[in-house]
Amino acid sequence: MSSGPDGQEDGQDGQDGQDGVGPQLLENTPKENPSKPSFSPSPAWTAVLTKQARILLTPLSFKKGPGRQGFLPRRILEPKQCGPGENAAEEPGAPTGPAGSQPLSLCPRRSREAPRLSPETAAPAADSPQDEDDSDGDERECQGSFSGLSAYERKRLKNIKENAKFFASLELLEAAAKLKKMTTRKPSCGVKRKKPKEEADETTRRRSMRLLKADPSGVPVPQVPAQPELAADESPGPPPGPLEMVPSNQTAKDEVFGEFLQTWTEMSQPSGSTIQQPSSLESYRASLSGMAVSEETVCKVTKDRIFSLAVHPSESRLLVAAGDRLGQVGLWDLDRGPKAAGVHTFAPHIRAVSCLYFSPANPAHLLSLSYDGTLRCADFSRAVFDEVYRNQELALSSFTFLSDDASSLLVGHWNGGVAVVDRRAPAPVQWADLGPGLVRTVHGHPLHRQYFVAAGARNVSIFDVRCLKPQRNRPLLSLPGHTKSLASAYFSPTTGCRVVTTCADDNLRVFDTSCLGSKAPLVTTVRHNNNTGRWLSRFQAVWDPKQEDCFVVGSLSRPRRIEVFHAAGRLLHSFAHEDWLGSVCSINALHPSRPVLAGGNSSGKVHVFKARGAEP
């Protein structure tokens, strides 16, 4: 049996197709086999390149038996190597067609995978010319080799052979090898280029006489001996001993500064006036409402951020002192004409001035403490800054008076220790360690001078100076409840029955310290935003010397303001102004007898609130 070019079989094969043995084929589209009535193979898809390729699907066969039901795929891609005279129909259990027809599986069994063509086997087939005689010879050879196959299987094997010849003619493997060779990078030879030598410049270049260390005439200048340089972590300390009082913003010994010193000499004696308490809380609130700020009461007193502030107790003149981050102390006399004429700035320290107090015995003395380890007293009658205490190894944090004549002082250190300084004794310093916590502020009791309160990292304690020893000091009373570091702790100004603390946990607390022998109960807690950050000085709530149960503190609220609270936690008044108060006043101080409030910000400005209509 043979097939024509269009894939149809001749009459004998057509007869077999009518008997149900051989299927009738179209080009690349096998039709269903009558011997398998329930199977309908799908047409195969072909990919068209330069020649149409014929691809047929693998037929399925039925095989019934125990444990195997349904359709089982059977691939006949490769013929089985059968011996001579062997036939698949002789195998036991082989399926057979109808009576008088050939078996369904007449071709030998194929392997599961089709044989792959190598370039060596595919090249001769691609190079040999193809004509009709060769095609007929191949067909006869195929019919002779596989005489026992059906027409469908012979047609399929012929298509496989033609497809193999076609793909071999495309030379895909050779093209892939050439492409791989083209895309492979060649190793660099690694030859370095030689840089051309620079030709010597025949002309002489001009050079600076300053770099040659010579004068314009060419004569060498004598060398100046080099100064010894300080280490990176070493900073020059302040000079010891008294310093001359020279204003840094004005010429020394001028007429204005002479008048300023004369004013301080006249105020060298205390006034002796008593502090008058308001009759009630309502009258005190009314006095606060009568205070205001104006353009004349706002001035830049220091160069940098204000760390401390004090108001002179004089009732005849209004003078404010401020200490900044760079160690400067500025004095502002509000009673002297223009603002610039009343400001005098001095530099007695080289680091931040954290504490300022006027002496209770002599208001002409201003004591200042700095982080540079020095405590100085400004004596304006002699125009000098005397040195009271000095410790170059430990930084100082604050100080307080232990006597009314200001002869005995208590100085706090950042390492947790305190020093009792007696300006009259030959051995003026007595050291005591209060514990591992920091000592940020110390403040003495207004009536019982032997007691003082110290605020540290997370603890506030009251100590007795008479019981201090170098090590292992136990507090007389502790004020618990603080969860973060404290900024300050102060006794109430008249009786010392209360202590107000400012903590970084955004709380202001008031404790009852009327009985120092037992526990100090917590009177009230005021929720207050104390998160000032690194560019603002920390808030410090301070008592009003004119009112025993009221204190003043700065605020981060907008518009900017200074708030006054009662000891019970009520907000009594807020000092604010849309035009002249536009910054945060972290440090505040009040006059002991007059309705005057001074607030300092982080740019060195001082805002003064005073009674309306009063002379500056």
Side-chain angles (χ1 to χ4, degrees), residues 389 391 396 398-400 402 408-413 417-422 428-434 442 468:
Y389 174 73
N391 192 335
L396 309 183
S398 63
F399 78 96
T400 186
L402 295 179
S408 181
L409 306 174
L410 183 72
V411 182
H413 299 69
V418 294
V420 180
V421 180
D422 191 352
V429 180
Q430 177 187 356
W431 176 260
D433 187 9
L434 301 184
V442 290
L468 291 179

Side-chain angles (χ1 to χ4, degrees), residues 128-201:
S128 61
Q130 300 293 332
D131 52 11
E132 295 180 358
D133 297 337
D134 294 341
S135 178
D136 295 339
D138 294 341
E139 182 178 355
R140 288 191 299 270
E141 182 182 357
C142 182
Q143 291 178 2
S145 300
F146 304 98
S147 59
L149 298 181
S150 64
Y152 168 75
E153 293 174 349
R154 289 195 301 272
K155 182 65 176 177
R156 175 181 171 277
L157 295 177
K158 180 182 177 182
N159 292 339
I160 291 175
K161 188 175 182 180
E162 292 179 356
N163 292 340
K165 293 180 180 180
F166 168 71
F167 283 111
S169 65
L170 296 179
E171 299 181 356
L172 297 179
L173 297 178
E174 290 79 355
K178 291 181 181 179
L179 181 61
K180 183 177 181 180
K181 186 177 181 181
M182 293 171 59
T183 56
T184 303
R185 289 187 176 182
K186 295 182 180 180
S188 59
C189 57
V191 179
K192 296 183 179 179
R193 297 180 58 188
K194 294 182 179 181
K195 295 183 179 180
K197 296 182 179 180
E198 297 181 358
E199 298 180 359
D201 192 1

Side-chain angles (χ1 to χ4, degrees), residues 570-589:
R570 301 193 310 270
L571 178 63
L572 297 180
H573 185 72
S574 294
F575 292 98
H577 198 282
E578 296 181 357
D579 298 331
W580 308 115
L581 183 59
S583 58
V584 177
C585 292
S586 301
I587 308 299
N588 302 278

